[in-house]
Amino acid sequence: MGLLHIDEASVSFGGVRALEMVSLIIEKGEIVSIIGPNGAGKTTLFNAISGFTHLDSGKISFDGGDITREPPHGVVRLGIARTFQNLRLFSRLTVAENVNIAQHSRTRSGVWAALLNSRGSRSERRAVLELTADLLAAVGLAGQADTLAGDLPYGDQRRVEIARALATRPRLLLLDEPAAGMNYAEVQDLLGLIQGVRGRGITVAMVDHDLRAVMAISDRVVVLDYGRKIADGRPGEVRRNPAVLRAYLGEEGGAATDA
Amino acid sequence: MRANPTGLRRRTRAGKVSAAGYLTALRKGVGPLAVLLALTFPFLVSQYLVHLGVLISIYTILTLSLNLVSGYAGQLALGHAAFYALGAYASALLTLSGHPFWLGLLAAGVVAALGGLVVGLPSLKSSGFYLGMITLGFGEIVKLVLLNWDSLTRGPMGLTNIPPAKLWGYTFGSVASFYYLALLILALTAGAVHRLVNSRVGEALVAIREDEVAAKAMGIDTGYHKVLAFTVSGFLAGLAGSLYAHYISFINPASFGSGESFLIVSMTLLGGASLGGSALGAATLLLVPEVFRALADYRLLFYGAVLILLMVFRPNGLIPERRLRYRGILERLRGAEPVSGRDSGAGPGYRAPAEEG
Amino acid sequence: MSLLLEQLVNGVIIGSVYSLIALGFSLIFSILEVINFAHGSILVMGTLIGLVVLQRTNFWVGLLIAALASGLLGALVEKAAIYPLRLRRAPLGAQFISTIGAGMMIDIAALVIFGPKTRPFPPSLPATQFALGPVRGSVVELAILGVSLGLMALLQVLVNRTRFGKAIRATVQNPRAAAMFGVDVDTVNTLTFALGSALAAVAGMLMGVYYNMADLGTGFLAGMKGFVAAVFGGIGSIPGAVLGGLALGVAEDIGATWLSSYRDAVAFIILIVILLVRPQGILGHPERQKV
Ligand SMILES: Nc1ncnc2c1ncn2[C@@H]1O[C@H](COP(=O)(O)OP(=O)(O)OP(=O)(O)O)[C@@H](O)[C@H]1O
Ligand SMILES: [Mg+2]
């Protein structure tokens, strides 16, 4: 029984079919990569799972429950977190604030608790800060807690995004091009971090264009092209899949052996 | 506004006293000094100045209230005078029909909060200047209703002889006594706003202001929180309305037009999203035309110029929201040595929740 | 003349004036993406200046001077309240607030110069009535309709057939690319503000002859209604502004029969409903949320 089931999902924008009858199962504990040329529908797939885009047809279920119509905050509460291809940090807030805010769905204190400064809200606050401290240490940014997120170098901003996503305590983490704009050393760091995340029992689905990285880390690779799923299998199989070579890696497929 | 977010005591670093340290000390001194001044005010100055003190208190409540929606949640609201009006009318009508002041005050808050709820609903689908224009439209509709519902509001004539505020048998008849009442309500409002913005709810509002999409991705029910901000904001503005009605003892729709809304907006923007800023913004815009009497007729000219200059040179206001410092607290919570730079990627951290079934 | 027909005609006449105001909002919005909140204030200032000239000369000279004065004022607002903010890349919200500030200043300037009194508009056009089949009308109404429709046609020609129009269209498409191809975007911004403001003053003068009066309060309401009309039709769209104005005029006249004392609330109710139900307006395209 997979953790996430996507069943014949279709999304179109005006005339553009961003997703067409895509079915996909993500198993517990996997690292799955979703690759495909620009405009293939990868981000749209993540948007659909995370509740930012509605499916025209099809169904998505998570851990047995239907989440097709779930709003984004509901999806987060159920245990799916995401990062954004174009970073969406709260760039004028500090790194620590970014991570604190992300624990919103795991805390409960409302208006009355705040007004009364109740004991519950204070101990909850303490727990929030503890997790923030742990997560910042885990992504190697403990020293930057009070830096404005927007002032960090790009690679570190990506780390904050991951810390922030982890702070929602997901069971499934969706990473949209987490390595974009990183240099080789940073990508290696990131891969270690993603392995670590999986080590904590969190399932990871990621989109990336860095094929070398994708092949190295993934248990499974799913290929989208023009909104359709054209391949799904182990990295080695997908690499040799002729449809993938044609669609994704260009006519000669020369890059495939590089990757 | 600042808080000590955990309640953990902050260790003070011994040794060096820097220029920044003095500045902090000075800033820390300003608060208590302002409180002391506020408390002794009526004994120090003329009745007219105390009267201005009452107005400043009322407008600071309004400014704090608008700050919740605009300063923190980042929603443009241009109809705030409507909540002010709802509170004033609710309280005046109740007390005029013989009910006690405390009930009027409470009802003012509740009625205005309902108004806030209604005005907040459009924020679910609209934002930016569209929301600004919607709220402005709501403000105008409220004013039109007050003007036309003669049987209840006596239309343009307004309500007169509103009884003075009375609590526990004490009548706040004099300017000085009313000043203390206004100050009390202001203090309660400030405390409430302070706690709220430094809470999980306040954090959600700030997240919405900074990036609504990201806020959703963080699990924040943005719609709920926006409407909540409008509702609480309405409640507070309603309290201000009640105070105003019982202080001036006469209200009519003309006191609550769009000009009034823009005045509150100007005060809020001038001051910035902070308690000090709210008071400073309200006081500045009320006092400057008083000090420069020649300006009095040209108030709007002055307000308008202030708005433009602010937007150009200090868009976050005179006393902007301050970022809390967490690093020291986080380090102590981890019980670790102060971390510098990067450490290994293998902290204890969070694990996926164990499955249930 | 049947009541409905009469309402329709009245609605179209006042609606064509709203269209002119809406056109100003839409033009400015399509170029600068900002709502010019000072629009109503600029309208009033131009109208009151035009009224003074009209009293000494005739309606048409007054109309021309009103348009020129407001055009100048609009350019000034752009240079003083928008341009410095754009230089600093201030967010659109800040620019909007800045135009509120400009509006307040213009309001008070108008108050100081012209006083708070409502000013009567002298009868400056022949009061002749005529009948066209079942429709009765007056020369004033004909003039209003003629001027509004004429200006809208002129605007179409200006935008589609002239160099300035080409510069506007290029700037709407993509300001940076336009600048690269030699369009002086700053000047386009200023001139667009001037053009929109001039249209507002014409609308103000037309409302003046229609209602036989002008005062400061009309500016705010006229501005709001123009905005509502612009949003109604789809802000940024020229045909949308025309359509939105006419629709608002008719809706107001029909609405007034149900809610006579709430006539002015009709616009606000429409505004709220339209922004909630179809924020892109009648002719606009839905905006996509970018994630
Ligand atoms: N909100 C939207 N409105 C209109 N079209 C959209 C929208 N989002 C995506 N599209 C279109 O849908 C298609 C798929 O886009 P998507 O962003 O999912 O691709 P992607 O695989 O993530 O590409 P990239 O590698 O460039 O990130 C593209 O043609 C894109 O233009
Ligand atoms: Mg993408």
Side-chain angles (χ1 to χ4, degrees):
Chain A
M1 186 65 192
L3 182 62
L4 184 83
H5 282 249
I6 299 171
D7 213 20
E8 306 196 328
S10 298
V11 173
S12 58
F13 299 107
V16 183
R17 295 194 169 157
L19 286 182
E20 218 179 334
M21 301 290 275
V22 171
S23 296
L24 178 64
I25 295 177
I26 294 177
E27 302 289 342
K28 235 166 239 163
E30 283 193 297
I31 296 181
V32 179
S33 285
I34 292 149
I35 63 172
N38 292 107
K42 305 176 297 283
T43 298
T44 304
L45 182 67
F46 277 11
N47 285 345
I49 298 170
S50 55
F52 283 100
T53 297
H54 285 304
L55 294 187
D56 297 335
S57 65
K59 192 181 155 191
I60 303 177
S61 55
F62 178 65
D63 200 24
D66 188 353
I67 59 163
T68 317
R69 306 237 133 248
E70 195 68 29
H73 63 92
V75 172
V76 174
R77 192 173 301 252
L78 289 170
I80 301 178
R82 68 169 296 173
T83 64
F84 292 93
Q85 179 170 357
N86 308 306
L87 288 167
R88 287 204 95 124
L89 288 177
F90 302 113
S91 54
R92 302 190 307 169
L93 305 185
T94 66
V95 170
E97 284 173 309
N98 268 275
V99 180
N100 290 345
I101 286 172
Q103 295 173 56
H104 185 89
S105 63
R106 300 297 164 220
T107 44
R108 319 173 51 93
S109 302
V111 175
W112 296 113
L115 292 179
L116 302 174
N117 195 20
S118 69
R119 179 117 55 98
S121 75
R122 275 176 292 154
S123 69
E124 186 177 270
R125 191 72 194 158
R126 198 187 159 100
V128 163
L129 293 178
E130 276 167 3
L131 180 55
T132 298
D134 283 348
L135 286 172
L136 288 185
V139 299
L141 288 173
Q144 308 291 329
D146 292 336
T147 310
L148 295 188
D151 291 347
L152 288 175
Y154 191 76
D156 285 350
Q157 294 197 20
R158 289 246 170 244
R159 287 165 173 273
V160 178
E161 267 228 326
I162 294 174
R164 205 175 61 163
L166 289 174
T168 67
R169 306 207 198 180
R171 281 185 284 161
L172 172 62
L173 177 63
L174 310 174
L175 301 172
D176 198 349
E177 305 207 11
M182 286 186 170
N183 62 30
Y184 179 77
E186 286 173 327
V187 171
Q188 295 311 306
D189 263 11
L190 176 74
L191 294 182
L193 184 63
I194 293 174
Q195 295 277 19
V197 167
R198 192 247 301 266
R200 296 163 180 215
I202 299 167
T203 308
V204 179
M206 63 182 251
V207 167
D208 215 287
H209 284 299
D210 185 339
L211 290 191
R212 205 187 305 255
V214 163
M215 297 297 170
I217 198 175
S218 311
D219 301 314
R220 197 151 60 90
V221 177
V222 173
V223 188
L224 294 183
D225 187 28
Y226 292 111
R228 291 171 179 279
K229 185 170 101 170
I230 58 169
D232 184 344
R234 307 200 149 278
E237 297 161 25
V238 167
R239 182 159 35 190
R240 284 183 292 275
N241 183 323
V244 176
L245 295 184
R246 257 199 319 281
Y248 183 59
L249 301 171
E251 288 305 315
E252 328 92 273
T257 33
D258 274 0
Chain B
M1 276 177 210
R2 252 173 97 80
N4 185 349
T6 46
L8 300 176
R9 287 282 292 271
R10 292 187 80 181
R11 214 182 310 150
T12 42
R13 290 246 159 72
K16 283 189 292 181
V17 181
S18 60
Y22 280 122
L23 270 182
T24 315
L26 195 66
R27 220 161 25 207
K28 285 211 169 102
V30 167
L33 211 66
V35 170
L36 192 71
L37 187 70
L39 283 176
T40 52
F41 201 55
F43 300 103
L44 303 176
V45 297
S46 70
Q47 171 147 332
Y48 182 67
L49 286 182
V50 179
H51 161 73
L52 287 177
V54 174
L55 292 184
I56 290 172
S57 303
I58 292 176
Y59 276 93
T60 305
I61 298 174
L62 288 168
T63 307
L64 280 168
S65 135
L66 181 59
N67 246 324
L68 215 47
V69 168
S70 293
Y72 291 99
Q75 308 297 305
L76 193 52
L78 301 178
H80 225 60
F83 309 139
Y84 187 34
L86 286 174
Y89 271 85
S91 191
L93 287 170
L94 272 175
T95 47
L96 279 171
S97 61
H99 296 284
F101 167 72
W102 67 264
L103 190 66
L105 183 67
L106 195 68
V110 172
V111 169
L114 287 176
L117 181 79
V118 172
V119 177
L121 290 177
S123 73
L124 299 180
K125 293 203 66 168
S126 196
S127 63
F129 29 63
Y130 290 111
L131 182 62
M133 297 304 260
I134 290 184
T135 51
L136 188 60
F138 262 114
E140 289 302 305
I141 290 174
V142 166
K143 195 177 142 189
L144 283 169
V145 170
L146 292 178
L147 270 173
N148 288 299
W149 195 349
D150 278 350
S151 58
L152 184 71
T153 65
R154 289 202 258 144
M157 310 288 294
L159 301 172
T160 49
N161 295 325
I162 301 165
K166 203 173 182 181
L167 282 176
W168 303 292
Y170 180 80
T171 307
F172 296 87
S174 71
V175 174
S177 65
F178 198 91
Y179 170 80
Y180 283 110
L181 177 65
L183 206 59
L184 174 72
I185 306 285
L186 168 60
L188 291 175
T189 302
V193 171
H194 177 77
R195 282 191 172 171
L196 210 55
V197 300
N198 285 302
S199 73
R200 169 175 173 269
V201 173
E203 243 172 27
L205 298 184
V206 169
I208 291 167
R209 175 190 72 199
E210 292 297 316
D211 184 339
E212 201 165 335
V213 169
K216 285 180 184 162
M218 296 302 103
I220 293 168
D221 185 343
T222 54
Y224 168 80
H225 281 90
K226 284 193 282 186
V227 174
L228 181 73
F230 270 100
T231 308
V232 176
S233 174
F235 184 88
L236 298 176
L239 297 186
S242 168
L243 285 177
Y244 179 79
H246 295 279
Y247 179 60
I248 303 290
S249 84
F250 160 72
I251 51 174
N252 70 351
S255 326
F256 305 103
S258 54
E260 196 68 9
S261 290
F262 289 133
L263 174 59
I264 305 170
V265 169
S266 309
M267 289 171 168
T268 308
L269 290 168
L270 175 62
S274 61
L275 173 57
S278 299
L280 187 64
T284 309
L285 290 195
L286 285 175
L287 289 182
V288 171
E290 297 289 336
V291 176
F292 302 98
R293 271 311 169 101
L295 259 175
D297 290 341
Y298 304 92
R299 284 156 67 108
L300 281 174
L301 198 65
F302 167 69
Y303 297 155
V306 164
L307 274 189
I308 297 178
L309 292 175
L310 264 180
M311 288 304 114
V312 176
F313 295 108
R314 219 175 150 85
N316 292 323
L318 294 177
I319 310 183
E321 182 188 12
R322 303 241 310 273
R323 304 264 60 87
L324 300 174
R325 306 250 150 238
Y326 282 103
R327 187 175 159 184
I329 300 164
L330 296 182
E331 281 167 1
R332 236 162 299 130
L333 279 173
R334 273 174 62 74
E337 289 297 297
V339 194
S340 58
R342 218 162 247 186
D343 53 13
S344 78
Y350 157 74
R351 296 190 155 270
E355 299 155 40
E356 321 82 36
Chain C
M1 185 152 91
S2 80
L3 181 63
L4 188 68
L5 188 62
E6 193 174 342
Q7 283 172 341
L8 219 59
V9 172
N10 286 340
V12 165
I13 287 164
I14 193 65
S16 68
V17 177
Y18 295 157
S19 295
L20 281 184
I21 309 174
L23 278 172
F25 272 115
S26 264
L27 269 177
I28 292 170
F29 183 85
S30 61
I31 294 268
L32 290 147
E33 287 180 55
V34 71
I35 303 292
N36 174 24
F37 199 85
H39 206 58
S41 310
I42 293 173
L43 176 150
V44 164
M45 186 63 118
T47 307
L48 291 175
I49 292 173
L51 174 58
V52 171
V53 174
L54 176 153
Q55 282 162 338
R56 285 169 181 65
T57 55
N58 65 43
F59 176 74
W60 303 104
V61 178
L63 189 71
L64 186 71
I65 299 296
L68 286 176
S70 274
L72 214 61
L73 191 57
L76 186 69
V77 167
E78 196 276 333
K79 276 288 174 241
I82 295 284
Y83 180 69
L85 277 99
R86 291 186 97 77
L87 269 187
R88 289 163 175 262
R89 299 180 197 285
L92 292 172
Q95 298 182 30
F96 175 64
I97 303 276
S98 183
T99 65
I100 293 181
M104 287 165 136
M105 295 180 79
I106 296 169
D107 280 346
I108 207 70
L111 180 69
V112 170
I113 300 171
F114 298 102
K117 277 205 314 271
T118 297
R119 296 179 156 239
F121 246 73
S124 45
L125 292 172
T128 325
Q129 303 267 337
F130 60 86
L132 231 146
V135 179
R136 268 179 289 133
S138 66
V139 171
V140 172
E141 290 172 335
L142 202 66
I144 291 174
L145 214 55
V147 171
S148 313
L149 297 181
L151 278 178
M152 291 172 207
L154 214 62
L155 190 68
Q156 272 301 333
V157 173
L158 180 80
V159 169
N160 291 319
R161 295 277 151 79
T162 65
R163 246 175 66 97
F164 175 51
K166 207 168 156 186
I168 290 188
R169 279 178 292 140
T171 311
V172 170
Q173 284 292 318
N174 183 342
R176 219 174 298 158
M180 256 170 2
F181 284 102
V183 174
D184 180 351
V185 174
D186 287 344
T187 307
V188 169
N189 289 347
T190 310
L191 287 181
T192 307
F193 244 83
L195 181 62
S197 302
L199 291 176
V202 172
M205 290 296 284
L206 296 179
M207 283 172 80
V209 290
Y210 190 65
Y211 292 120
N212 298 316
M213 55 165 228
D215 68 13
L216 289 172
T218 53
F220 175 72
L221 265 182
M224 281 301 285
K225 289 181 181 174
F227 174 77
V228 174
V231 172
F232 203 172
I235 195 146
S237 142
I238 291 182
V242 174
L243 200 66
L246 298 179
L248 175 62
V250 172
E252 229 182 42
D253 233 84
I254 293 174
T257 46
W258 310 97
L259 312 148
S260 56
S261 50
Y262 289 98
R263 184 192 171 97
D264 291 331
V266 172
F268 299 122
I269 293 168
I270 290 180
L271 174 70
I272 291 164
V273 170
I274 198 89
L275 283 180
L276 294 182
V277 177
R278 198 178 155 83
Q280 71 273 26
I282 306 172
L283 295 186
H285 296 290
E287 199 178 308
R288 292 210 170 91
Q289 186 186 30
K290 294 184 192 91
V291 176

